[in-house]
Amino acid sequence: MTSTDSAQQPEGAPAKAPAKDPWDLPDVSGLVVGVLGGTGPQGKGLAYRLAKAGQKVIIGSRAADRAQTAAEELGHGVEGADNAECARRSDIVIVAVPWEGHGKTLESLREELAGKLVVDCVNPLGFDKKGAYALKPAEGSAAEQAAALLPDSRVTAAFHHLSAVLLQDPEIDEIDTDVMVLGEVRADVEIVQALAGRIPGMRGIFAGRLRNAHQVESLVANLISVNRRYKAHAGLRVTDV
């Protein structure tokens, strides 16, 4: 040990643990994923992709029969249930309901979602003659609203920038995009990153705490403008990671 090393680490002190590899993510293949709003375009598309990748998926709807019909259409072992049963039976619950019903839906499921890892992917948007624009909830973002309404749940945010058209297209094998994942607890964020990585072509990228969710949710308004101009289904890639 050199004199410089000695100054930095006293003799006999425990060795500093090496930094954790940010790509060392947990195995999530055995977890049950519920999708609230699983009969809508985004929810249905996520359910299809995750189930196709081998994940056990339950889609939820206000009407159980509607969810069951959608599940039969998706195949790959997907089940359908009402929202409450979907939440109870799932380890991870993706919230893909329309913004207009976001708060009311989560408030009604507070008990069923207690202790669950909740992934909010709702984008608060308005539309007028100029196109899509971002709305800012009183709590700051949809994800922060979810955290406020679900104090006994572990709330994260992810899957905001995915094209429902690509997700539902059976002719497309890989979706070339990154998924920005936000949350307060690193272990929870890593579970969601790993879940995103189950879908071929995707990566889950840590993108900060929930207080940064508003700009991530808002960026969808820009992507809608991109898609309209270029007749595309644009996603995002984060470079140099």
Side-chain angles (χ1 to χ4, degrees), residues 16 36-37 43 47 52 60 74-76 78-79 90 101 131 138 147 157 165 171 174 184 195 201 203 209 223 227:
K16 187 176 181 181
L36 302 181
K52 189 177 180 182
L74 292 176
H76 298 285
V78 176
E79 294 184 41
S90 302
V165 173
E171 299 300 315
E174 295 189 6
E184 300 302 316
L195 186 65
R203 298 186 305 173
R209 294 179 179 270
L223 290 177
N227 290 337

Side-chain angles (χ1 to χ4, degrees), residues 103-143:
K104 186 176 180 180
T105 299
L106 295 185
E107 195 169 16
S108 70
L109 296 171
R110 182 177 296 167
E111 183 177 338
E112 290 83 0
L113 291 171
K116 307 289 185 177
L117 176 54
V118 174
V119 187
D120 200 294
C121 66
V122 175
N123 303 302
L125 297 176
F127 295 87
D128 60 19
K129 292 181 180 179
K130 295 182 179 180
Y133 60 95
L135 303 175
K136 189 161 188 178
E139 298 84 356
S141 63

Side-chain angles (χ1 to χ4, degrees), residues 189-213:
V189 170
E190 290 180 348
I191 289 172
V192 182
Q193 287 180 260
L195 186 65
R198 295 273 287 162
I199 301 174
M202 288 191 192
R203 298 186 305 173
I205 303 289
F206 171 66
R209 294 179 179 270
L210 289 185
R211 69 180 183 180
N212 292 320

Side-chain angles (χ1 to χ4, degrees), residues 65-233:
D65 57 347
R66 186 180 177 195
Q68 290 160 1
T69 298
E72 291 172 4
E73 293 172 356
L74 292 176
H76 298 285
V78 176
E79 294 184 41
D82 63 44
N83 281 331
E85 182 182 349
C86 173
R88 280 194 298 268
R89 292 178 55 196
S90 302
D91 302 304
I92 305 173
V93 180
I94 298 173
V95 181
V97 300
W99 166 242
E100 292 75 17
H102 181 262
K104 186 176 180 180
T105 299
L106 295 185
E107 195 169 16
S108 70
L109 296 171
R110 182 177 296 167
E111 183 177 338
E112 290 83 0
L113 291 171
K116 307 289 185 177
L117 176 54
V118 174
V119 187
D120 200 294
C121 66
V122 175
N123 303 302
L125 297 176
F127 295 87
D128 60 19
K129 292 181 180 179
K130 295 182 179 180
Y133 60 95
L135 303 175
K136 189 161 188 178
E139 298 84 356
S141 63
E144 288 169 295
Q145 183 183 87
L149 292 172
L150 304 173
D152 298 319
S153 303
R154 297 138 54 206
V155 176
T156 60
F159 300 117
H160 300 91
H161 306 137
L162 305 181
S163 163
V165 173
L166 297 184
L167 287 173
Q168 294 185 80
D169 189 341
E171 299 300 315
I172 295 175
D173 294 323
E174 295 189 6
I175 298 180
D176 180 26
T177 193
D178 286 332
V179 173
M180 300 179 78
V181 185
L182 303 96
E184 300 302 316
V185 179
R186 182 63 59 89
D188 292 339
V189 170
E190 290 180 348
I191 289 172
V192 182
Q193 287 180 260
L195 186 65
R198 295 273 287 162
I199 301 174
M202 288 191 192
R203 298 186 305 173
I205 303 289
F206 171 66
R209 294 179 179 270
L210 289 185
R211 69 180 183 180
N212 292 320
H214 172 65
Q215 57 263 39
V216 173
E217 296 169 1
S218 300
L219 190 57
V220 174
N222 301 89
L223 290 177
I224 289 173
S225 297
V226 170
N227 290 337
R228 286 180 174 174
R229 174 63 62 90
Y230 297 101
K231 310 298 182 188
H233 302 292

